[in-house]
Amino acid sequence: MAIRERTNSRTLEHPSGDERYKAIDRTMKIFKYEKDALLEVLNSAQETFGYLTEELLVYISESLGVPMSQTYGVATFYHLFTFDPLGENNCIVCTGTACHVKGANQIVEAIASEFEVEEGGTTPDGVFSLTTARCLGSCGLAPVIVLNGEVKGKGTTETTVREVRAVLAASESTAEAG
Ligand code: FES
């Protein structure tokens, strides 16, 4: 079954309900679903998810109407794209205009300092990575972060650090149990 049901309005959301697809949809809308926007859309997908997956490539191919081979070709040609998750846990902080105004940069700094990770980097043990994105398509929730795939909005430096700490503690206890 096609991931995106074809309609003239192109307003359907991704059936998974995953909020992160909104950022990709937003980029495609800005570029009016032009095939030439492929690179920009892939970039948006990588920023939002932290890395590319086959499902993302299929979704983008179907939405833009470009062959999967072309999408895959572009995604593998440019070194800026990766198919590997950055860390076991990852946090993407939106630093687009709306989020910037609401203190996104302070959140980035707080997480970087608290968890000793560089922006765009992963901790040496591979447990946690921190990246930023330009706009995750949920500006009304600014400042927005995506923590292990879950979109969270209207946080502060304190609540975000707390949430990251909780996620890391949970993953540590899962690792110990395993
Ligand atoms: S600027 Fe952050 S979601 Fe749009």
Side-chain angles (χ1 to χ4, degrees), residues 94-99 134-139 142 144:
C94 178
T95 53
T97 308
C99 293
R134 285 171 297 175
C135 177
L136 293 171
S138 303
C139 306
V144 175

Side-chain angles (χ1 to χ4, degrees), residues 37-111:
L38 179 58
L39 196 55
E40 195 64 38
V41 176
L42 284 169
N43 197 40
S44 170
Q46 166 137 323
E47 282 192 334
T48 310
F49 284 75
Y51 62 103
L52 299 177
T53 63
E54 188 173 350
E55 189 186 359
L56 281 169
L57 299 192
V58 170
Y59 181 67
I60 292 167
S61 281
E62 292 203 347
S63 300
L64 294 181
V66 299
M68 183 65 180
S69 56
Q70 188 183 339
T71 305
Y72 190 76
V74 170
T76 51
F77 179 78
Y78 290 96
H79 293 304
L80 72 126
F81 297 121
T82 176
F83 289 86
D84 298 319
L86 296 169
E88 281 168 42
N89 301 280
N90 61 78
C91 180
I92 303 165
V93 181
C94 178
T95 53
T97 308
C99 293
H100 175 77
V101 169
K102 298 276 186 174
N105 286 6
Q106 286 89 317
I107 290 178
V108 173
E109 282 167 20
I111 296 175

